[in-house]
Short mmCIF file of all heavy atoms in Angstrom, two decimals:
data_model
loop_
_atom_site.label_atom_id
_atom_site.label_comp_id
_atom_site.label_asym_id
_atom_site.label_seq_id
_atom_site.Cartn_x
_atom_site.Cartn_y
_atom_site.Cartn_z
N THR A 196 70.92 99.01 36.80
CA THR A 196 69.76 98.50 36.05
C THR A 196 68.68 98.02 37.01
O THR A 196 67.49 98.30 36.80
CB THR A 196 70.19 97.36 35.13
OG1 THR A 196 71.22 97.83 34.24
CG2 THR A 196 69.02 96.85 34.31
N PHE A 197 69.07 97.30 38.04
CA PHE A 197 68.09 96.85 39.04
C PHE A 197 67.39 98.04 39.68
O PHE A 197 66.16 98.05 39.85
CB PHE A 197 68.79 96.03 40.12
CG PHE A 197 69.17 94.64 39.69
CD1 PHE A 197 68.99 94.23 38.38
CD2 PHE A 197 69.70 93.73 40.59
CE1 PHE A 197 69.34 92.95 37.97
CE2 PHE A 197 70.05 92.45 40.19
CZ PHE A 197 69.88 92.06 38.88
N GLN A 198 68.18 99.04 40.07
CA GLN A 198 67.60 100.19 40.76
C GLN A 198 66.65 100.96 39.87
O GLN A 198 65.61 101.46 40.33
CB GLN A 198 68.72 101.10 41.26
CG GLN A 198 68.26 102.25 42.14
CD GLN A 198 69.41 103.11 42.61
OE1 GLN A 198 70.52 103.02 42.09
NE2 GLN A 198 69.14 103.96 43.57
N ARG A 199 66.97 101.05 38.59
CA ARG A 199 66.13 101.81 37.67
C ARG A 199 64.87 101.04 37.27
O ARG A 199 63.76 101.60 37.27
CB ARG A 199 66.94 102.18 36.42
CG ARG A 199 66.15 103.00 35.40
CD ARG A 199 67.00 103.34 34.20
NE ARG A 199 67.45 102.15 33.47
CZ ARG A 199 68.68 101.68 33.49
NH1 ARG A 199 69.62 102.27 34.23
NH2 ARG A 199 69.00 100.60 32.79
N GLU A 200 65.00 99.77 36.95
CA GLU A 200 63.88 99.01 36.43
C GLU A 200 62.97 98.48 37.53
O GLU A 200 61.75 98.41 37.37
CB GLU A 200 64.39 97.85 35.57
CG GLU A 200 65.20 98.27 34.36
CD GLU A 200 64.37 99.06 33.36
OE1 GLU A 200 63.14 98.87 33.34
OE2 GLU A 200 64.96 99.84 32.59
N LEU A 201 63.54 98.09 38.66
CA LEU A 201 62.75 97.53 39.76
C LEU A 201 62.27 98.60 40.75
O LEU A 201 61.47 98.28 41.64
CB LEU A 201 63.57 96.48 40.52
CG LEU A 201 64.03 95.27 39.70
CD1 LEU A 201 64.83 94.32 40.57
CD2 LEU A 201 62.85 94.55 39.06
N GLU A 202 62.77 99.83 40.59
CA GLU A 202 62.37 100.94 41.46
C GLU A 202 62.57 100.59 42.94
O GLU A 202 61.66 100.65 43.76
CB GLU A 202 60.91 101.34 41.20
CG GLU A 202 60.66 101.82 39.77
CD GLU A 202 59.22 102.21 39.55
OE1 GLU A 202 58.40 102.02 40.48
OE2 GLU A 202 58.91 102.70 38.45
N ILE A 203 63.81 100.21 43.26
CA ILE A 203 64.14 99.82 44.63
C ILE A 203 64.23 101.07 45.51
O ILE A 203 64.98 102.00 45.18
CB ILE A 203 65.47 99.05 44.66
CG1 ILE A 203 65.41 97.87 43.70
CG2 ILE A 203 65.78 98.57 46.07
CD1 ILE A 203 66.72 97.15 43.55
N PRO A 204 63.48 101.14 46.62
CA PRO A 204 63.55 102.32 47.49
C PRO A 204 64.79 102.28 48.39
O PRO A 204 64.72 101.96 49.58
CB PRO A 204 62.25 102.22 48.31
CG PRO A 204 61.97 100.74 48.38
CD PRO A 204 62.47 100.16 47.07
N ILE A 205 65.93 102.64 47.83
CA ILE A 205 67.19 102.59 48.57
C ILE A 205 67.38 103.91 49.30
O ILE A 205 67.36 104.98 48.68
CB ILE A 205 68.37 102.31 47.63
CG1 ILE A 205 68.20 100.93 46.99
CG2 ILE A 205 69.69 102.41 48.37
CD1 ILE A 205 69.29 100.56 46.02
N PRO A 206 67.57 103.89 50.62
CA PRO A 206 67.76 105.14 51.36
C PRO A 206 69.11 105.76 51.07
O PRO A 206 70.06 105.08 50.67
CB PRO A 206 67.64 104.69 52.83
CG PRO A 206 68.05 103.25 52.81
CD PRO A 206 67.59 102.70 51.50
N VAL A 207 69.19 107.07 51.27
CA VAL A 207 70.43 107.80 51.05
C VAL A 207 71.37 107.55 52.23
O VAL A 207 70.96 107.61 53.40
CB VAL A 207 70.15 109.31 50.90
CG1 VAL A 207 71.45 110.08 50.70
CG2 VAL A 207 69.21 109.56 49.73
N GLN A 208 72.63 107.27 51.93
CA GLN A 208 73.61 107.06 52.98
C GLN A 208 74.10 108.40 53.51
O GLN A 208 74.49 109.28 52.75
CB GLN A 208 74.79 106.24 52.45
CG GLN A 208 74.43 104.81 52.11
CD GLN A 208 75.64 104.00 51.67
OE1 GLN A 208 76.68 104.55 51.34
NE2 GLN A 208 75.50 102.70 51.67
N LEU A 209 74.09 108.54 54.83
CA LEU A 209 74.49 109.78 55.49
C LEU A 209 75.83 109.58 56.20
O LEU A 209 76.18 108.46 56.59
CB LEU A 209 73.42 110.19 56.51
CG LEU A 209 72.01 110.43 55.94
CD1 LEU A 209 71.04 110.76 57.06
CD2 LEU A 209 72.02 111.52 54.88
N PRO A 210 76.59 110.66 56.37
CA PRO A 210 77.87 110.53 57.10
C PRO A 210 77.72 110.00 58.52
O PRO A 210 78.60 109.31 59.03
CB PRO A 210 78.41 111.97 57.09
CG PRO A 210 77.76 112.61 55.91
CD PRO A 210 76.40 112.00 55.80
N VAL A 211 76.58 110.33 59.16
CA VAL A 211 76.37 109.85 60.53
C VAL A 211 76.32 108.33 60.56
O VAL A 211 76.80 107.69 61.52
CB VAL A 211 75.07 110.45 61.10
CG1 VAL A 211 74.81 109.94 62.51
CG2 VAL A 211 75.15 111.96 61.11
N ASP A 212 75.79 107.72 59.52
CA ASP A 212 75.69 106.26 59.49
C ASP A 212 77.05 105.59 59.34
O ASP A 212 77.21 104.42 59.72
CB ASP A 212 74.77 105.83 58.34
CG ASP A 212 73.38 106.42 58.45
OD1 ASP A 212 72.94 106.65 59.59
OD2 ASP A 212 72.74 106.66 57.41
N TRP A 213 78.03 106.31 58.79
CA TRP A 213 79.33 105.72 58.53
C TRP A 213 80.34 105.93 59.65
O TRP A 213 81.41 105.33 59.64
CB TRP A 213 79.91 106.28 57.22
CG TRP A 213 79.33 105.65 56.02
CD1 TRP A 213 78.35 106.13 55.23
CD2 TRP A 213 79.70 104.38 55.46
NE1 TRP A 213 78.05 105.26 54.21
CE2 TRP A 213 78.88 104.18 54.32
CE3 TRP A 213 80.63 103.40 55.80
CZ2 TRP A 213 78.98 103.03 53.54
CZ3 TRP A 213 80.71 102.26 55.01
CH2 TRP A 213 79.90 102.09 53.91
N VAL A 214 80.02 106.78 60.61
CA VAL A 214 80.96 107.03 61.71
C VAL A 214 81.25 105.75 62.51
O VAL A 214 82.42 105.43 62.78
CB VAL A 214 80.44 108.16 62.62
CG1 VAL A 214 81.27 108.26 63.91
CG2 VAL A 214 80.47 109.48 61.89
N PRO A 215 80.26 104.95 62.93
CA PRO A 215 80.58 103.71 63.65
C PRO A 215 81.42 102.74 62.82
O PRO A 215 82.30 102.05 63.37
CB PRO A 215 79.20 103.12 63.97
CG PRO A 215 78.27 104.27 63.93
CD PRO A 215 78.80 105.18 62.87
N THR A 216 81.19 102.70 61.50
CA THR A 216 81.99 101.80 60.65
C THR A 216 83.44 102.25 60.59
O THR A 216 84.37 101.43 60.67
CB THR A 216 81.39 101.76 59.24
OG1 THR A 216 80.01 101.34 59.32
CG2 THR A 216 82.15 100.80 58.36
N VAL A 217 83.66 103.55 60.45
CA VAL A 217 85.03 104.06 60.40
C VAL A 217 85.75 103.79 61.71
O VAL A 217 86.91 103.35 61.73
CB VAL A 217 85.02 105.57 60.08
CG1 VAL A 217 86.42 106.15 60.17
CG2 VAL A 217 84.43 105.82 58.70
N ILE A 218 85.08 104.02 62.84
CA ILE A 218 85.71 103.81 64.14
C ILE A 218 86.00 102.33 64.38
O ILE A 218 87.04 101.96 64.94
CB ILE A 218 84.81 104.39 65.25
CG1 ILE A 218 84.76 105.92 65.13
CG2 ILE A 218 85.31 103.99 66.63
CD1 ILE A 218 83.85 106.58 66.14
N SER A 219 85.10 101.46 63.95
CA SER A 219 85.32 100.02 64.17
C SER A 219 86.49 99.48 63.36
O SER A 219 87.08 98.46 63.72
CB SER A 219 84.04 99.25 63.82
OG SER A 219 83.72 99.40 62.45
N GLU A 220 86.84 100.13 62.25
CA GLU A 220 87.94 99.67 61.41
C GLU A 220 89.30 100.19 61.87
O GLU A 220 90.33 99.77 61.33
CB GLU A 220 87.70 100.10 59.95
CG GLU A 220 86.49 99.47 59.30
CD GLU A 220 86.64 97.97 59.12
OE1 GLU A 220 87.79 97.50 59.04
OE2 GLU A 220 85.62 97.27 59.07
N LEU A 221 89.33 101.08 62.85
CA LEU A 221 90.60 101.65 63.31
C LEU A 221 91.37 100.62 64.12
O LEU A 221 90.79 99.80 64.84
CB LEU A 221 90.35 102.90 64.16
CG LEU A 221 89.73 104.10 63.42
CD1 LEU A 221 89.48 105.24 64.39
CD2 LEU A 221 90.62 104.56 62.28
N PRO A 222 92.70 100.65 64.05
CA PRO A 222 93.50 99.67 64.80
C PRO A 222 93.70 100.01 66.26
O PRO A 222 94.44 99.31 66.95
CB PRO A 222 94.84 99.70 64.05
CG PRO A 222 94.94 101.08 63.50
CD PRO A 222 93.54 101.49 63.17
N LEU A 223 93.08 101.05 66.77
CA LEU A 223 93.22 101.42 68.17
C LEU A 223 91.85 101.67 68.77
O LEU A 223 90.87 101.87 68.06
CB LEU A 223 94.11 102.66 68.32
CG LEU A 223 93.55 104.00 67.82
CD1 LEU A 223 94.35 105.15 68.40
CD2 LEU A 223 93.57 104.07 66.31
N THR A 224 91.81 101.66 70.09
CA THR A 224 90.55 101.83 70.82
C THR A 224 90.21 103.32 70.92
O THR A 224 91.06 104.14 71.24
CB THR A 224 90.66 101.24 72.23
OG1 THR A 224 91.05 99.87 72.12
CG2 THR A 224 89.33 101.32 72.95
N VAL A 225 88.94 103.61 70.63
CA VAL A 225 88.45 104.99 70.64
C VAL A 225 87.50 105.15 71.82
O VAL A 225 86.65 104.29 72.08
CB VAL A 225 87.75 105.33 69.32
CG1 VAL A 225 87.16 106.73 69.37
CG2 VAL A 225 88.73 105.21 68.16
N SER A 226 87.64 106.25 72.52
CA SER A 226 86.80 106.50 73.69
C SER A 226 85.38 106.86 73.27
O SER A 226 85.16 107.34 72.15
CB SER A 226 87.38 107.65 74.52
OG SER A 226 87.39 108.85 73.77
N PRO A 227 84.41 106.63 74.15
CA PRO A 227 83.02 107.01 73.82
C PRO A 227 82.86 108.51 73.59
O PRO A 227 82.01 108.93 72.79
CB PRO A 227 82.23 106.54 75.04
CG PRO A 227 83.06 105.46 75.65
CD PRO A 227 84.48 105.85 75.41
#
Side-chain angles (χ1 to χ4, degrees):
T196 302
F197 285 6
Q198 187 180 14
R199 181 180 62 253
E200 299 296 334
L201 299 180
E202 299 180 355
I203 306 174
I205 296 179
V207 179
Q208 292 184 344
L209 301 177
V211 178
D212 301 330
W213 281 99
V214 170
T216 303
V217 174
I218 293 178
S219 63
E220 295 293 335
L221 295 177
L223 69 164
T224 304
V225 176
S226 63

